[in-house]
Amino acid sequence: MKPINAGLLGIGTVGGGTFNVLARNAAEITRRAGRPIRITRVADKNLDLARQVTAGRAQVTDDAFAVVADPEIDIVIELIGGCGIARELVLQAIANGKHVVTANKALLAMHGNEIFAAAHEKGVMVAFEAAVAGGIPIIKALREGLTANRIQWIAGIINGTTNFILSEMRDKGLPFDVVLKEAQRLGYAEADPTFDIEGVDAAHKITILSALAFGIPMQFGKAHVEGISKLEAEDIKYAEQLGYRIKLLGIARRRAEGVELRVHPTLIPARRLIANVEGAMNAVLVQGDAVGATLYYGKGAGAEPTASAVIADLVDVTRMHTADPEHRVPHLAFQPDAMEDTPILPLSEVETSYYLRLRVEDKPGVLADITRILADQGISIDAMIQREPGEGESQTDIIMLTHVTREKNVDAAIAKDRGAAGGQEEGDPAAHGRAGLR
Ligand code: HSE
């Protein structure tokens, strides 16, 4: 049983976890893979850290390109992240005929088409289970387990940081800024949390899932990306009163005209399992025409959960690397010559139900005006609550949930509503958002 040799680029949290789990479970993993998998070389700028983690069990360098060029290395594990040096290293590894295992969602969402084309050309594998939802085997499920299905939609909580923040805001009634600071203190959120809180990380992940689900190229640039930084605690409270929870969802939905690809805070009925995914956990719902709805739940980040996905890829590559490339599972689930050019729909064409919070004068006729404006756009109201005005207050909040309509109808109603208010605050929407999974 000749071992297969891997070179690890980046021995941070996930790299360290991968090194440790591979060592700890070596015997079990070998029984599964059919031969030992060894990380023989590690590259990291922080040589002290690399030496400390590897403890003499791998050759350590600060030159990642030397690892990628090493003829003894069969698989390159890229855990550096980002689209700079990581892109160069991955493309160089492929050019050198090496298989690649990566957790880099930004790289695949933005440069995946180029990377998979290069890998196809060279007959090497690029495996990326760890790129979406950490330890949850959602890539494997979509690419293989659900292969009989025409996938209809995917909706996922695929960013643990924002889910933690939303859970805390709901539980404790605290504003976003306060909870973000707490998340940073606890190490959930990065010092620069922009990618997480503005929905970019989730958009990278749903872009990858959409390609796997529908056999379309990666089109991150066409995704609607909206985070949670503008969400107000009172909207979480009103959603609760209507029987809903607010979650940051990544949604990819196939329609006759094209694919909806979007990330935004979403009202989900509280009775739904996915609405009860709390803290930093991840969950992905996939609806297939044959299987129906399936739900995948687990840790979306962390050293060993993510290592679990990285090592699953190492085992897959080890099993398949002697197979004829034509007989391997295609990188993106569909054969490369069978990809479709289905358009990503603009946000204005998205179909869903909507949440509206309106700050209005509490006087006769206001509600009639609002419902008329909505009716003129063909928007039907599903549920409504009106807050009791406070002592001496002349204004109040009206909160509405609509039936399914198109985004452009809601935009038109909001524009008309603002116009009708004639510069006064009456009817001015204080917040609006989308609901789903009803
Ligand atoms: N930053 C991500 C999250 C984890 O908060 O879920 C890695 O994908």
Side-chain angles (χ1 to χ4, degrees), residues 105 130-131 133-134 158-162 188 190 196 201 205 280 282 300-302:
K105 58 251 161 157
I158 43 183
N159 183 270
T161 305
T162 44
Y188 283 116
E190 310 273 338
D196 288 323
D201 176 75
K205 293 167 179 167
N282 279 200

Side-chain angles (χ1 to χ4, degrees), residues 127-306:
F128 52 95
E129 185 62 70
V132 182
I136 305 174
I138 186 63
I139 304 292
K140 190 86 167 174
L142 271 177
R143 199 174 49 195
E144 297 169 53
L146 299 176
T147 201
N149 290 263
R150 190 171 160 82
I151 305 291
Q152 292 157 323
W153 52 260
I154 301 173
I157 296 173
I158 43 183
N159 183 270
T161 305
T162 44
N163 204 54
F164 171 81
I165 293 173
L166 292 175
S167 293
E168 289 288 293
M169 285 175 76
R170 186 178 76 85
D171 273 1
K172 301 183 178 156
L174 292 170
F176 171 80
D177 297 356
V178 172
V179 180
L180 173 61
K181 283 205 182 76
E182 175 70 357
Q184 283 171 319
R185 197 183 61 77
L186 291 171
Y188 283 116
E190 310 273 338
D192 177 2
T194 316
F195 265 33
D196 288 323
I197 62 173
E198 297 304 345
V200 179
D201 176 75
H204 287 147
K205 293 167 179 167
I206 195 68
T207 298
I208 295 171
L209 296 183
S210 71
L212 284 162
F214 308 132
I216 56 174
M218 303 280 179
Q219 296 170 77
F220 171 72
K222 293 188 182 154
H224 170 72
V225 188
E226 190 181 320
I228 61 165
S229 59
K230 295 190 181 72
L231 205 64
E232 294 181 41
E234 59 194 308
D235 291 313
I236 293 177
K237 192 185 70 190
Y238 288 137
E240 191 102 8
Q241 286 173 18
L242 286 162
Y244 289 76
R245 303 260 165 91
I246 299 182
K247 296 288 180 189
L248 184 71
L249 286 190
I251 297 172
R253 189 160 82 97
R254 194 203 300 256
R255 298 218 328 250
E257 315 90 302
V259 167
E260 294 180 5
L261 186 59
R262 47 193 168 101
V263 172
H264 51 71
T266 311
L267 275 78
I268 308 173
R271 66 177 187 281
R272 288 273 197 170
L273 273 177
I274 197 167
N276 294 281
V277 172
E278 301 292 0
M281 300 303 280
N282 279 200
V284 185
L285 253 175
V286 182
Q287 173 84 23
D289 66 341
V291 72
T294 54
L295 178 64
Y296 309 82
Y297 170 83
K299 288 184 180 159
E304 296 210 353
T306 313

